[in-house]
Amino acid sequence: MYKEMIDVSKFLVNEANECLLCKKPSCRTNCPVHTDIPGIINLFKEGKMEEAGEILFENNPMSAICAMVCPHEDQCFGHCIKGIKKDPVEFYKIEEFISREYLKTGKITIKEEPKNQRVAVVGSGPAGLTIATELVRKGYKVTVFEKNGRVGGILRYGIPDFRLPREIVKDMIRMLEEAGVVFRTNTAIGQVITIDKLFYDGYDAVFIGTGTWSPKRLDIKGETLGNSLYAINYLRSPKRYNLGKKVIVIGAGNVAMDAARSAKRYGADEVTIAYRKDFCDMKACKAEIEETKEDGVIFDTYKAPIEITEEGVIFADTHRVKGEDGRESVVMIEGSEKLYECDSVLIAISQTARNTIVKNNPELEVNKWGLLVTDEYGETTREGVFSGGDVTSGPSTVIEAVVNSKKAAESIDRYLTNKRK
């Protein structure tokens, strides 16, 4: 273990030394939270780990998590100037090392005087934890409500532990609790405890960050058979399922990749991802697609599901055609239907928001996809209620939830400041 730590440290130092420390760093510009990458690398090279960790956490409370699950090829890594002629600098690995160490002993700095105003945060995923951090720093009393038995939302119940070690989430919860944030688990907001009840009990503002937990249906025959599961539900506790030896995953987003890799790890001999288009169309980040291949998962492209049976899935072949307007579309090839045998089917074609809160709060407007409507600052159509994360944008990345929640935190602060006047 000690030798492994030395090897990791040497690798990270070499990566840091490779950074060109650009005056106008594209890596920082293309980071959604504009992390000061050259500045952090300088601190790392000088051995100022705690200072670097504090800066990263101050800028992005999910820094350690983003370092592990962000689509880096579209952000810092993919825009490293050095990558034009050589290998780009893997800053996210340096960030992971610094941020994970910082979380072990770090504390949240309370920057402002305590305020006698209380905020309810509904949901404890990336959006909820980020806004709880931002608001407690500003001196507000924060209570986080989580419908599950443990805190973390998608970080605990959606991303497998081999991709995101659970101690990272535990360390962050500890920091928030030490800063005064209260967590109420096994408490759903919507029916028994309504938003009206929260305001009646003395909360001055409410933030909704409940994510997207309702799986979208394929709407084909056989979807309710015993061998068929929705991947987002499976990922909540994959070790408890016996999927059999042969599994087919339908879909090609990050949830599909996580489900396929989990199935491979927990008993399945053969796992196949079936997708109606090609690799270039897949929504999953490139790094995870490659890791999924490395885990031995098979990819079968240009396959559209027609029916799920007890024996497996009937797929039709698809191909691309160009319309009169020049646009390409993917259509099924008539007569190409074929049964692909398997023991279990995991459906992963995206998710949408559950509408329990909305049903009991007609003032909250939703769009045609069932997502909460907000302005650019996270304000919903009901006064005092704000929202951010996947419940407003649809399934997205952790870093996008951070960006939205930081904006919403500023919006809540302005709203509550005006109430105090």
Side-chain angles (χ1 to χ4, degrees):
M1 179 64 72
Y2 181 69
K3 182 180 181 301
E4 288 177 4
M5 289 179 66
I6 292 176
D7 289 342
V8 169
S9 297
K10 282 182 178 178
F11 168 78
L12 296 178
V13 169
N14 288 336
E15 282 297 298
N17 288 331
E18 286 293 315
C19 180
L20 300 175
L21 301 175
C22 306
K23 290 184 179 179
K24 294 183 179 180
S26 295
C27 55
R28 182 173 64 194
T29 302
N30 287 280
C31 170
V33 289
H34 305 300
T35 300
D36 182 11
I37 294 171
I40 296 298
I41 286 179
N42 266 330
L43 289 172
F44 176 73
K45 289 165 71 173
E46 293 168 7
K48 298 178 180 178
M49 290 279 292
E50 188 170 346
E51 185 179 344
E54 185 175 5
I55 291 171
L56 285 168
F57 187 83
E58 286 280 321
N59 181 58
N60 175 11
M62 295 279 135
S63 177
I65 294 164
C66 289
M68 302 188 75
V69 303
C70 261
H72 305 111
E73 67 267 16
D74 298 326
Q75 298 166 5
C76 56
F77 184 72
H79 290 86
C80 176
I81 296 299
K82 198 167 182 295
I84 295 173
K85 294 184 178 180
K86 296 183 179 180
D87 291 334
V89 175
E90 295 179 299
F91 168 73
Y92 59 92
K93 293 183 178 179
I94 298 172
E95 180 182 18
E96 178 190 341
F97 183 76
I98 294 171
S99 295
R100 289 186 68 172
E101 286 300 309
Y102 180 76
L103 285 182
K104 291 176 183 177
T105 56
K107 295 184 180 298
I108 294 172
T109 304
I110 311 299
K111 298 180 178 180
E112 300 180 29
E113 291 296 315
K115 301 176 177 69
N116 192 30
Q117 289 173 298
R118 193 180 303 276
V119 181
V121 174
V122 184
S124 67
L129 295 182
T130 297
I131 204 161
T133 304
E134 296 294 311
L135 292 175
V136 78
R137 281 175 179 159
K138 296 177 183 293
Y140 293 104
K141 299 176 182 178
V142 180
T143 301
V144 179
F145 295 87
E146 170 55 53
K147 67 181 178 65
N148 292 302
R150 305 181 78 179
V151 174
I154 196 73
L155 304 176
R156 184 180 295 279
Y157 294 104
I159 302 176
D161 54 9
F162 59 81
R163 266 221 307 145
L164 181 64
R166 294 300 180 251
E167 60 262 26
I168 294 177
V169 180
K170 290 178 183 177
D171 287 338
M172 187 165 186
I173 303 308
R174 172 195 56 76
M175 289 175 67
L176 284 163
E177 287 179 333
E178 289 176 357
V181 174
V182 176
F183 291 93
R184 280 193 59 171
T185 55
N186 293 311
T187 307
I189 305 299
Q191 290 181 313
V192 177
I193 301 178
T194 62
I195 289 179
D196 286 339
K197 175 63 173 166
L198 292 174
F199 283 125
Y200 178 78
D201 284 351
Y203 290 94
D204 298 281
V206 175
F207 175 83
I208 301 172
T210 48
T212 49
W213 287 96
S214 289
K216 287 187 178 179
R217 298 195 315 240
L218 281 169
D219 282 333
I220 62 174
K221 187 177 180 181
E223 204 163 348
T224 62
L225 295 179
N227 60 337
S228 176
L229 292 165
Y230 293 107
I232 193 68
N233 296 335
Y234 164 71
L235 285 172
R236 294 176 65 86
S237 52
K239 295 177 185 178
R240 297 184 180 180
Y241 287 88
N242 179 12
L243 299 179
K245 296 301 181 183
K246 199 170 183 178
V247 177
I248 290 177
V249 180
I250 300 173
N254 286 328
V255 169
M257 302 300 153
D258 286 342
R261 297 176 71 190
S262 296
K264 190 75 175 174
R265 276 171 167 75
Y266 302 129
D269 290 336
E270 183 180 305
V271 179
T272 301
I273 286 179
Y275 183 49
R276 64 189 300 271
K277 297 181 182 178
D278 205 354
F279 283 96
C280 60
D281 304 294
M282 293 181 179
K283 292 184 178 179
C285 60
K286 295 173 185 174
E288 193 171 3
I289 292 172
E290 291 306 312
E291 288 168 359
T292 305
K293 289 179 181 177
E294 289 170 8
D295 280 351
V297 173
I298 301 164
F299 284 80
D300 203 351
T301 56
Y302 291 109
K303 294 287 183 291
I306 302 298
E307 180 182 345
I308 296 172
T309 73
E310 292 179 344
E311 290 74 38
V313 186
I314 298 172
F315 286 102
D317 294 333
T318 65
H319 68 140
R320 293 182 184 273
V321 296
K322 190 170 285 189
E324 293 180 1
D325 59 359
R327 294 182 182 179
E328 278 193 346
S329 60
V330 174
V331 299
M332 289 186 285
I333 299 172
E334 193 175 341
S336 64
E337 296 85 354
K338 179 183 174 182
L339 173 67
Y340 290 74
E341 294 183 355
C342 64
D343 299 304
S344 295
V345 182
L346 295 175
I347 301 167
I349 59 163
S350 193
Q351 304 89 239
T352 187
R354 288 176 176 160
N355 58 6
T356 306
I357 295 176
V358 174
K359 279 183 178 178
N360 293 279
N361 292 276
E363 305 101 316
L364 292 173
E365 185 181 340
V366 295
N367 61 22
K368 62 181 181 180
W369 298 286
L371 303 172
L372 279 172
V373 173
T374 67
D375 65 12
E376 60 181 312
Y377 304 107
E379 293 187 45
T380 71
T381 48
R382 176 171 179 175
E383 184 183 346
V385 180
F386 303 78
S387 187
D390 289 1
V391 74
T392 63
S393 65
S396 188
T397 59
V398 171
I399 193 63
E400 289 302 327
V402 172
V403 172
N404 293 338
S405 296
K406 290 182 73 170
K407 288 180 182 177
E410 293 298 325
S411 188
I412 291 173
D413 186 38
R414 284 193 299 272
Y415 172 75
L416 294 180
T417 299
N418 290 330
K419 283 188 72 174
R420 292 196 300 272
K421 293 178 180 179

